[in-house]
Each structure stands twice: as C-alpha cells, then as structure tokens.
Amino acid sequence: MKTKWIKDNISFSYCVEADLMNIASMLSKESVCKYMFFGPNKEEDTMAYFSPLVRSIEDSLKEDKIPDCHVFTIRGNSTGEFIGQCALLPIEFTNGNYLIGYQIDDTQWRKGYGTAACDFLVHYAFNVTDAFRLTGDCARGNSGSEKVMMRSGFQSEGRQRKYWSVGEKYFDRMLFSLLKEDVPESRLEELNNMYR
C-alpha cells in the first residue's frame, strides 16, 4: 500500500511517531496558531492528541488498509526538512465527508506549501478514498487560508458567528466546501499524475 506521495520538491507521508516532535514544535508557536481555536500548545498536549491517531494509522497500514483518519507529514523531498502537516478527518455520521486541515511551519510560509497541501488533500480524498465532499473552515480574518482553499476549488458556504472562543476573543468560523462533482475529471487525473 502506498504511504508516500511526492510532488516536485516535497513529499507527503502518513504521520509516524518520529514526526510528532516536529509537529509539537510547530504547534507551540503563537505565529502558527494565531487563527486556530487551539494552541499554542504544550508539547504534551500535542502528543496526547496525535499519538492515538498515529497508532490508528500504523494499525491500519499493518493490515494493508486505508486508515480512517488521514494525517500526513509534509517534508522537503531531498532534504527531509519538516514543512508542516495536513489531514482529512472524518465528519461524524457522514461517511465520505471529511474536514480538511493543514498547518505550515512559519519558517516555510509564502512558498506555496499551503496550496500544495490543500491540492494533495483534494487528490487523496477523491482519488484514494470514498469521499464525496470536503469541508473546510478557518477563522474570519485568516485570508491566507481562505485563498488556499479557493485556489483549490473550494466554494464559500457562509459564516458562523462567534464560533470559537480563545481566551477573551471570539472568532467567526468561515465555511467552505468542495464536492467531488465540482472537480472536473481532467483535474482529478492531473492531480493523480502530479502526486506520484
């Protein structure tokens, strides 16, 4: 079973235990967590969240099955340098509908990695899994994340007011979606060829 995908100078692979320190370091940064409803996190909090997901992924792969939770680490293909992580998380009670997520380390911003991550998730969801819909969200004001989703074909679905509370601040939740039928077959094939 395939566990790694390469596009140009970056690779996407299922998250493993050895990746968690990089992810914990990234999610401890205020800059990375500025628009997230969680974080900055302590290392132990990030490990407590991701460790069961990683074990679940490893168990599925041992049985040669596609994991239920799809968490990927993004690295420089030739250097192995940590870039970030991305994920498809199943939405409860709706098989084939996944919430997308991507976090890029602040040392890697403005290099196109967010768009590459979002495009990879579109490819993986519609070419590898049984997905019929991808759901995306971000805090209002996170124009970078909005642009990434729009570039990948997502459509705006509206806003949920005061959805997240962080400290004494409230954030509206901006909603986006991409249906499999929205993506032309030619684009799915292009993505399939792009992530070898």
Side-chain angles (χ1 to χ4, degrees):
M1 171 173 290
K2 192 168 186 171
T3 59
K4 184 175 183 177
W5 293 261
I6 297 169
K7 178 189 183 276
D8 301 329
N9 62 337
I10 56 174
S11 67
F12 298 83
S13 57
Y14 286 114
C15 189
V16 296
E17 198 75 32
D19 297 323
L20 295 184
M21 288 304 295
N22 289 129
I23 293 171
S25 174
M26 174 182 68
L27 294 179
S28 71
K29 297 179 179 180
E30 189 141 340
S31 56
V32 173
C33 298
K34 179 179 179 180
Y35 290 108
M36 292 194 267
F37 66 92
F38 61 88
N41 295 332
K42 294 179 184 166
E43 180 182 308
E44 56 268 21
D45 294 334
T46 298
M47 300 297 249
Y49 177 80
F50 279 98
S51 289
L53 295 175
V54 168
R55 281 193 295 277
S56 171
I57 290 168
E58 289 172 348
D59 291 344
S60 294
L61 294 176
K62 282 179 193 168
E63 296 175 21
D64 205 33
K65 292 181 358 186
I66 294 174
D68 291 329
C69 288
H70 315 279
V71 182
F72 303 94
T73 302
I74 310 166
R75 291 192 177 276
N77 189 41
S78 57
T79 64
E81 181 181 18
F82 179 77
I83 293 170
Q85 68 95 30
C86 60
L88 291 175
L89 301 175
I91 293 182
E92 288 184 297
F93 312 116
T94 312
N95 291 336
N97 185 5
Y98 293 92
L99 177 67
I100 67 164
Y102 43 84
Q103 290 86 39
I104 306 299
D105 199 5
D106 59 1
T107 61
Q108 304 296 330
W109 287 355
R110 293 172 188 74
K111 298 179 182 179
Y113 295 138
T115 299
C118 197
D119 282 348
F120 170 74
L121 294 175
V122 170
H123 156 68
Y124 185 90
F126 295 143
N127 285 323
V128 178
T129 76
D130 62 347
F132 70 90
R133 174 189 166 96
L134 295 179
T135 299
D137 64 11
C138 65
R140 187 175 188 189
N142 188 350
S143 60
S145 191
E146 283 188 35
K147 288 175 185 172
V148 161
M149 286 185 275
M150 300 295 266
R151 275 194 292 268
S152 294
F154 283 72
Q155 297 178 23
S156 175
E157 288 194 325
R159 171 175 66 118
Q160 292 175 303
R161 297 178 303 146
K162 282 190 171 181
Y163 188 82
W164 290 301
S165 170
V166 180
E168 295 182 15
K169 289 179 82 173
Y170 293 97
F171 293 92
D172 293 353
R173 181 187 190 201
M174 307 304 291
L175 298 169
F176 299 86
S177 71
L178 182 65
L179 304 180
K180 186 171 186 178
E181 63 214 46
D182 294 338
V183 186
E185 278 298 319
S186 59
R187 177 65 175 150
L188 288 177
E189 191 171 320
E190 177 188 10
L191 289 170
N192 202 33
N193 293 331
M194 196 180 292
Y195 295 95
R196 61 187 200 285

